[in-house]
Amino acid sequence: MSNLTKIVAIGWLCLLSMGLHAQDTDSTSTAPKPSGQVLDKIVAKVDNYIILESDVQKAYLEAISQSQQGFEAPSRCDVFESLLINKLMVAKAEIDSVIVTDAEVILETNQRFNMVLQQFGGNEETLVEAYGKTAEQLKSEIHDLIKEQKIIGKMRANITQNMSVSPAEVRKFYNQIPRDSLPFFSQEVSVGQIVKKPEASRKEKDRVIQQLNDIKQQILDGETDFATMARKYSEDPGSKAQGGDLGFFRKGELAPEYESMALSLRQGEIGEPVESQFGVHLIQLLEIKGESFNTRHILIKPRPTEEDVNLAVKELDSLRNLIALDSVSFAKAAKDFSDDRGTSDNGGFFSDPTTGANRLNLRTLEDPILFFTLDTMNVGTLSQPIRYEQQNQRSGEAEKAVRLLFYKEKYPAHRANLEDDYEKLKAATKKQKESKALEDWFKIAKEEVFIDIDPAYDRCNALKE
């Protein structure tokens, strides 16, 4: 197999790029565009799984646009071979009885769909027009994609489990790289944050509960029906268009507060409004089949008022003073008080997802506001409380939040070296070691499944050792 180390390294990117694509490509994208339409065809079969020419094209364009600075971009053959390995893992998972349950997939499917829908303002008609597919068709595609991702993740984990690297292995890896081939890293920074998400007041929650009780009474009085009110008022983009119908879920798959209320009802009965992490629900039980149940709901989310946001600002201002007086360290304050779990467990610091290092390339910061804020700060300083909006990972909606930023350190542009880039080199060493384990696995696994490759991709030598 040619250059499998690099091929495996881009495997996840290829898989993720095979997700949803709107019919009209974003005109601001810097990725190269296809010069013309090509008739789609199957370019590889792995047991019952196929790879289409369009899959390779999408993954290739995505890999080119996302290739890391300082490293060679993958070739089309690299991308094809990575997709082939992904399909081989899925096929081999069936043989090895590696199972991903529906419970692991359904919730994430709904969350991913809601995030996509939110990009279209929650308007399902606009979403359907953009993709040329119904909401159910899109959900089905997302479901299959997430299930494949999880299967591959479990297979990779089984193959590379308990794998670690020593400092000696990192030094050996570094010393094997020709000095004129060492990657050049642009300026990087170390930045931390403490986030407070304003919580809706009890008064606002009670207002929402009263609104849902009024809706319930209108339904009970026969003035309207549940589905109509769900389409009008529900803030759950995944079920709103279906009149609030969530479909069947097994016990344990939904929020515990939601499930407890739903299963306490008789068929057709509407419960009292109940709070969960998603908001406040008005639930109607439709049907129970064995261990599964079908409900519909109207979701309304209590939102923080300006007063609630001001309270969060004051709380962070007080915390800032304690840090400035050395009464508490920034890392401890972040761990104890920050509402952003993605950074709080790391002492508040942002980290590179590929290496785990607390250093970020300013040019690749996803948050432009963060970039411009840092440009106004001096190294070693703590900002005043800053209001901003962050995306809810479940719904995709923008939510109000307040944060303190700590600009800890700045690292100048430089060639890779052990002292400054140990974590990056450690991650690369581990990736190479995992790739070798995957290569050894591939040599055995490819003999256990049926693989057929279109002649157009024979040049990639995907099955050669």
Side-chain angles (χ1 to χ4, degrees):
M1 169 165 279
S2 62
N3 201 11
L4 187 62
T5 299
K6 181 169 70 175
I7 293 165
V8 173
I10 62 173
W12 280 108
L13 179 60
C14 291
L15 181 63
L16 290 171
S17 71
M18 292 170 63
L20 296 176
H21 293 262
Q23 291 178 327
D24 295 322
T25 305
D26 184 355
S27 60
T28 63
S29 173
T30 58
K33 306 295 190 299
S35 59
Q37 289 188 330
V38 178
L39 186 64
D40 212 0
K41 66 174 182 177
I42 296 173
V43 294
K45 294 180 181 179
V46 183
D47 275 0
N48 297 322
Y49 301 93
I50 64 171
I51 299 174
L52 298 174
E53 179 69 47
S54 58
D55 294 334
V56 180
Q57 177 74 350
K58 291 172 187 175
Y60 175 66
L61 294 180
E62 188 71 18
I64 291 294
S65 67
Q66 297 295 326
S67 57
Q68 294 184 19
Q69 180 190 11
F71 293 93
E72 181 185 354
S75 69
R76 196 177 184 86
C77 277
D78 291 336
V79 171
F80 171 74
E81 292 180 45
S82 184
L83 294 178
L84 191 70
I85 292 172
N86 286 341
K87 294 301 183 186
L88 178 59
M89 285 189 177
V90 176
K92 190 68 166 58
E94 288 189 5
I95 298 172
D96 296 348
S97 299
V98 174
I99 298 172
V100 172
T101 65
D102 286 340
E104 296 177 75
V105 178
I106 292 174
L107 183 60
E108 190 171 336
T109 297
N110 289 333
Q111 291 173 358
R112 189 86 63 90
F113 176 80
N114 289 346
M115 291 180 69
V116 174
L117 185 58
Q118 198 62 40
Q119 295 173 8
F120 294 87
N123 189 317
E124 192 169 306
E125 291 184 2
T126 305
L127 175 70
V128 170
E129 182 179 349
Y131 286 93
K133 301 170 184 176
T134 67
E136 289 307 311
Q137 288 173 325
L138 291 173
K139 270 192 175 183
S140 178
E141 289 185 11
I142 295 173
H143 178 279
D144 293 345
L145 175 65
I146 290 173
K147 186 169 185 178
E148 182 169 328
Q149 290 172 356
K150 288 186 175 294
I151 290 173
I152 292 171
K154 284 193 174 184
M155 287 295 294
R156 287 174 65 96
N158 289 344
I159 298 166
T160 62
Q161 60 185 342
N162 303 322
M163 192 167 287
S164 61
V165 293
S166 67
E169 288 176 304
V170 178
R171 285 194 297 272
K172 181 179 179 181
F173 173 84
Y174 172 75
N175 290 329
Q176 287 176 341
I177 305 173
R179 290 300 170 262
D180 59 356
S181 298
L182 287 170
F184 185 83
F185 296 116
S186 60
Q187 179 179 287
E188 295 175 312
V189 295
S190 177
V191 181
Q193 67 172 1
I194 300 175
V195 175
K196 292 307 295 181
K197 299 177 182 177
E199 184 177 348
S201 65
R202 186 69 256 171
K203 181 179 178 181
E204 170 65 6
K205 291 179 180 179
D206 289 342
R207 183 196 67 77
V208 170
I209 290 172
Q210 185 57 54
Q211 181 183 1
L212 287 170
N213 275 324
D214 291 343
I215 290 172
K216 176 182 176 181
Q217 193 58 52
Q218 291 179 57
I219 296 170
L220 296 177
D221 290 343
E223 298 175 13
T224 185
D225 60 75
F226 197 104
T228 298
M229 298 302 271
R231 293 188 184 97
K232 184 175 182 180
Y233 292 105
S234 183
E235 297 177 28
D236 175 11
S239 67
K240 178 174 183 174
Q242 287 75 45
D245 194 334
L246 286 178
F248 279 94
F249 280 84
R250 294 179 64 82
K251 294 177 182 178
E253 292 181 347
L254 295 177
E257 304 90 343
Y258 186 103
E259 181 177 300
S260 178
M261 172 59 70
L263 295 179
S264 71
L265 303 174
R266 298 184 301 274
Q267 186 168 321
E269 185 180 6
I270 301 173
E272 298 299 319
V274 60
E275 292 182 44
S276 80
Q277 59 183 318
F278 303 102
V280 185
H281 311 259
L282 186 66
I283 305 168
Q284 182 179 37
L285 178 65
L286 298 178
E287 188 177 1
I288 295 179
K289 286 184 178 179
E291 293 297 307
S292 300
F293 61 98
N294 186 15
T295 57
R296 55 186 171 195
H297 75 145
I298 299 171
L299 173 69
I300 299 180
K301 304 172 184 178
R303 286 176 170 76
T305 63
E306 184 63 19
E307 183 179 353
D308 299 324
V309 177
N310 286 333
L311 285 174
V313 170
K314 291 178 181 178
E315 186 176 349
L316 281 185
D317 193 49
S318 298
L319 194 58
R320 182 183 187 278
N321 290 333
L322 291 175
I323 296 171
L325 293 171
D326 288 330
S327 297
V328 63
S329 69
F330 179 86
K332 180 168 175 54
K335 186 173 181 62
D336 292 345
F337 300 107
S338 181
D339 291 333
D340 183 76
R341 306 319 302 177
T343 55
S344 65
D345 291 339
N346 192 38
F349 288 94
F350 294 95
S351 59
D352 186 323
T354 60
T355 66
N358 295 345
R359 290 167 58 163
L360 303 172
N361 184 333
L362 271 174
R363 294 182 180 179
T364 59
L365 280 177
E366 295 182 358
D367 185 344
I369 296 177
L370 178 59
F371 175 88
F372 289 114
T373 302
L374 290 177
D375 199 42
T376 66
M377 295 176 64
N378 294 321
V379 174
T381 61
L382 194 64
S383 74
Q384 296 291 332
I386 301 169
R387 299 178 183 222
Y388 75 111
E389 289 189 344
Q390 62 177 18
Q391 188 180 56
N392 185 297
Q393 294 302 307
R394 293 190 182 92
S395 66
E397 292 182 344
E399 296 180 333
K400 294 179 181 178
V402 185
R403 67 182 170 192
L404 296 176
L405 291 177
F406 177 35
Y407 193 172
K408 182 180 180 182
E409 203 163 348
K410 181 190 291 185
Y411 305 90
H414 63 280
R415 287 280 180 189
N417 63 79
L418 275 172
E419 182 178 354
D420 295 323
D421 306 297
Y422 181 81
E423 292 300 329
K424 290 189 182 73
L425 293 166
K426 180 181 177 181
T429 305
K430 187 170 185 285
K431 187 170 289 185
Q432 184 187 63
K433 194 171 182 179
E434 291 176 345
S435 296
K436 180 61 170 64
L438 287 165
E439 183 175 1
D440 292 341
W441 173 87
F442 181 86
K443 291 175 183 177
I444 298 172
K446 70 179 183 179
E447 304 300 331
E448 299 182 26
V449 299
F450 168 78
I451 300 177
D452 181 47
I453 297 175
D454 186 273
Y457 283 87
D458 281 348
R459 61 186 172 82
C460 293
N461 294 321
L463 299 180
K464 305 296 182 182
E465 296 182 7

